[in-house]
Amino acid sequence: MTQDARDQEHSSSDQSKPGPSGSDQPDKAEQPDSAHQSEVGNEDLAAAFLRETEVVEEAVEDGKKIRRRGIYLLPNLFTTSALFAGFFAVVAGINGEFTSAAVAIFIAMVLDGLDGRVARMTNTQSEFGAEYDSLADMISFGMAPALVAFTWILQDIGKTGWVVAFLYVACAALRLARFNVQIGSVDKKWFIGLPSPSAAALVAASVWTFHSFDADAFGFKLLMLVVVAAAGVLMVSNIRYYSFKDLDFKKPVPFVVLLAIVLAFVLISVEPSVMLLLLFGTYVASGPVLAVMRKAKASS
């Protein structure tokens, strides 16, 4: 091979090797642009996800209709906690932990009473919160009590047991739907039909009390059947129940009222299941009793 041929071959091999000024340099220059485009794409995807999943509802503020985006966190946290307590009651009932299930239903009842008050106190009411609260009530005060009662004792009665449990669930759903459409058109001093939390409290207190005393005789099974069925029917009835919404907790009260509240806490702590059953049993019975008294007074 001649010297010219060797020089030409050497020049060709040098050009084929990558170097700092060769084809490798543009790839390095393009790398930041690619990363920037990927970051922008991720930001666009996240923004699109937030935009598509955002809650938008119409509200009236200062007499004007506005479109409000987002939800209020504080009252919905209480609603979520009540929903969790109701779901825990379902799981505990399936696992045979009936006392824990009954206590969870009462905890859900307390939390459900707080979310609305917190929303009114902080002026954070919304349509989303009302609908969310209604769905959570369906789990905590519709499904949970029926399932706990069924897994504890109603399943021993056979088909009649699960039919009555379903009757309770259906009545709870109808009660909540009727309550939602009647808001603003009925006297706030009264509930039309037994409130679902009170019905759930009656069922939960019955399960808690009878299970604590190992009451599994056939007579208790029939009694539980009547309690669940009656609670369901009373929820969809037109019997009025006092709502306690006209009580003003900001006004001063006699000292004896506070003393009575302390005494009530003491009595409940002695035997919680029995005292809660008596308390809510009295409230459930107050509706039919007052209805009979009003009808007797009107006829006389």
Side-chain angles (χ1 to χ4, degrees):
M1 180 180 295
T2 64
Q3 182 65 32
D4 294 338
R6 285 196 297 269
D7 293 339
Q8 186 177 1
E9 182 179 359
H10 179 69
S11 175
S12 300
S13 65
D14 287 343
Q15 292 177 1
S16 64
K17 291 181 180 179
S21 60
S23 60
D24 191 43
Q25 187 65 23
D27 293 341
K28 291 182 179 179
E30 290 173 2
Q31 187 173 357
D33 294 339
S34 177
H36 176 69
Q37 291 175 0
S38 176
E39 183 178 353
V40 172
N42 290 337
E43 288 179 355
D44 291 343
L45 182 62
F49 176 78
L50 291 175
R51 183 174 61 255
E52 294 296 330
T53 57
E54 188 60 272
V55 175
V56 181
E57 64 180 60
E58 289 188 354
V60 178
E61 292 186 1
D62 297 329
K64 298 179 181 179
K65 267 191 176 183
I66 62 170
R67 290 176 64 84
R68 186 170 55 204
R69 301 177 66 88
I71 61 174
Y72 294 114
L73 183 61
L74 185 60
N76 289 310
L77 281 178
F78 283 94
T79 304
T80 302
S81 300
L83 177 62
F84 176 81
F87 180 75
F88 178 85
V90 171
V91 175
I94 294 174
N95 292 332
E97 301 172 359
F98 301 110
T99 298
S100 298
V103 172
I105 292 174
F106 280 104
I107 292 175
M109 183 179 176
V110 173
L111 293 171
D112 178 69
L114 289 175
D115 61 359
R117 293 187 181 277
V118 168
R120 287 188 292 271
M121 289 173 59
T122 57
N123 195 26
T124 53
Q125 304 99 315
S126 66
E127 290 294 328
F128 175 86
E131 295 298 329
Y132 185 33
D133 179 70
S134 183
L135 293 173
D137 288 353
M138 183 58 207
I139 300 297
S140 300
F141 310 130
M143 285 295 299
L147 192 144
V148 170
F150 176 77
T151 53
W152 173 57
I153 204 168
L154 293 185
Q155 62 180 346
D156 297 338
I157 307 177
K159 184 182 293 186
T160 306
W162 71 258
V163 167
V164 169
F166 171 73
L167 173 67
Y168 178 92
V169 173
C171 290
L174 294 171
R175 168 72 176 83
L176 291 169
R178 186 178 67 177
F179 176 79
N180 289 341
V181 299
Q182 287 183 339
I183 293 178
S185 61
V186 295
D187 187 359
K188 291 184 178 181
K189 186 178 178 181
W190 303 95
F191 289 122
I192 305 301
L194 179 64
S196 58
S198 299
L202 176 66
V203 175
S206 299
V207 172
W208 189 1
T209 301
F210 298 153
H211 178 68
S212 299
F213 292 101
D214 295 326
D216 56 357
F218 184 72
F220 285 104
K221 296 177 183 179
L222 292 180
L223 177 60
M224 198 65 200
L225 197 73
V226 172
V227 168
V228 174
V233 172
L234 286 173
M235 279 192 287
V236 295
S237 68
N238 289 325
I239 296 176
R240 295 192 301 174
Y241 283 87
Y242 185 53
S243 67
F244 300 99
K245 290 184 178 181
D246 59 341
L247 296 179
D248 190 355
F249 294 97
K250 297 179 181 179
K251 290 184 177 181
V253 295
F255 175 76
V256 68
V257 174
L258 181 60
L259 186 63
I261 294 175
V262 172
L263 182 60
F265 277 113
V266 171
L267 291 176
I268 291 175
S269 64
V270 172
E271 193 63 58
S273 61
V274 175
M275 295 307 300
L276 288 172
L277 179 58
L278 290 176
L279 177 64
F280 285 99
T282 302
Y283 179 73
V284 172
S286 68
V289 170
L290 291 176
V292 170
M293 291 175 61
R294 283 192 297 267
K295 185 171 288 187
K297 185 179 179 179
S299 60
S300 63

